[in-house]
Amino acid sequence: MSSLCPFSKSSAAGSCPMKLDNKTGQETRNGAKNDEHKDSGTISPKCPFGYDSETFKLGPLSCMLCRALLYESSKCVPCFHKFCKVCISRFKDCPLCGADIEKIESDNDLQATVDKFIDGHARIKRIQVSADSKEVGYEQKNVIYGDVSMERGAFLVQQAMMAFQGKNVESAKSRLNICAEDIREQLQTQGNTPELCSQLGAVLGMLGDCCRTTGNTGSAVNYYEESADFLSKLPAKDLELVHTLSVSLNKIGDLRYYDGDLESARTYYTRALDVRRDAIMERSNVSCQIVDFAVSLAKVADVDRSLGNEDAAIKGFQEAIDRLQSLKLNSTDAALKQRRLSVLQFLHNQITDKQSSVPNTSV
């Protein structure tokens, strides 16, 4: 799952809004409050669930194992410490106090509280309620609670990424599905804006990663294809967009490759290659894009070899080698240098040993 925040372009500085410091976040919230009062149809009441940006802490609603908001909240018996169901199911002793776990019980009340927090503060679509917590129609008033020092969409993605890294894939999928649902609603009212299409494309790609991790390749391919469809609607001038689109296409190619559908794999690898070729024609001095382009050349060449087209394979491998050998990197680009060296070693092995092995599936 990519660590790039699909909501970074929503922030004024162009960086992930989850990384804003407290001062900046407070200034943003104060500015938002002033803007809200300019609209007579919008009010900013105290959150009826009791959460506010000054005193509320996420800790009581988070799992200490995956570090994300609780999902399927469960408590250990007899110590009653609380974790996500998937997380605690891996233990025989409570990881917090060391007590033997006799059984695990659902904590529906705590989960209801977590869900209320998500609805009130994390969803992009604001819940429509009056100050006394009674629901009202969209045409009456739009109530926006003061957020808990975070950008709503970015917060959901952050929670999903932490859950995914903690091997709680169902939790990650749940948060990403909420985020995707909210973006789709925005698309219906605002149209296919570049920002929304980019955000939805990235979130769908993450959902594909979740399905792939659980072995659900059919759903993974569907998510990757939908991700590519949304991202393909945008001008391929943004580096992050180009990377996300080409990675989604390559991941579909990888799944087709391992399923033995080489022709289909080649089609998707070639689409990713074309996206990256166009990108380096626009910006030939971006080193990471040249390395990505070489990887795509290698993927297509590898499939050509498997299909029996050895001449095309050697040509593709050699072009990739030439591109990488002509690349000049700064002394500060240690990670990119290592990646370039790894790809070059792979390419030389392909030419000398005639091995068939699809290159790094993460790119």
Side-chain angles (χ1 to χ4, degrees), residues 74 118 180-181 250 319 327:
S74 300
I118 291 174
E181 178 186 334
N250 274 339
E319 182 183 355
L327 181 61

Side-chain angles (χ1 to χ4, degrees), residues 328-337:
K328 305 299 182 183
L329 297 176
N330 298 325
S331 57
T332 57
D333 295 331
L336 192 58
K337 280 184 176 180

Side-chain angles (χ1 to χ4, degrees), residues 7-18 20 151 195 199:
F7 293 86
S8 60
K9 294 185 174 51
S10 300
S11 64
S15 60
C16 175
M18 287 307 304
L20 294 174
E151 189 76 17
E195 182 178 318
Q199 290 174 358

Side-chain angles (χ1 to χ4, degrees), residues 298-328:
K299 285 178 178 287
V300 175
D302 184 77
V303 178
D304 282 336
R305 169 170 287 167
S306 297
L307 291 170
N309 194 345
E310 185 64 19
D311 290 341
I314 294 297
K315 182 180 178 181
F317 288 135
Q318 191 59 56
E319 182 183 355
I321 290 174
D322 294 342
R323 290 277 186 173
L324 292 176
Q325 288 180 336
S326 65
L327 181 61
K328 305 299 182 183

Side-chain angles (χ1 to χ4, degrees), residues 92-142:
K92 294 182 179 180
D93 301 326
C94 175
L96 189 59
C97 68
D100 292 340
I101 299 176
E102 297 178 3
K103 63 178 179 178
I104 297 172
E105 295 180 347
S106 298
D107 192 330
N108 297 328
D109 290 339
L110 178 56
Q111 189 59 51
T113 301
V114 174
D115 293 342
K116 282 183 179 180
F117 172 78
I118 291 174
D119 283 343
H121 289 273
R123 298 199 63 162
I124 301 169
K125 170 190 172 184
R126 268 68 165 174
I127 298 300
Q128 308 295 311
V129 297
S130 63
D132 61 357
S133 303
K134 295 180 181 178
E135 292 189 4
V136 298
Y138 284 100
E139 71 282 1
Q140 297 181 41
K141 61 178 67 174
N142 179 25

Side-chain angles (χ1 to χ4, degrees), residues 17-34:
M18 287 307 304
K19 296 179 181 177
L20 294 174
D21 58 32
N22 291 335
K23 181 179 179 181
T24 304
Q26 185 62 49
E27 290 172 351
T28 301
R29 292 191 297 277
N30 291 339
K33 290 178 182 178
N34 292 333

Side-chain angles (χ1 to χ4, degrees), residues 21 54 56 97 148 163 191 290 322 343:
D21 58 32
E54 301 300 324
F56 180 70
C97 68
V148 186
I290 295 175
D322 294 342
V343 176

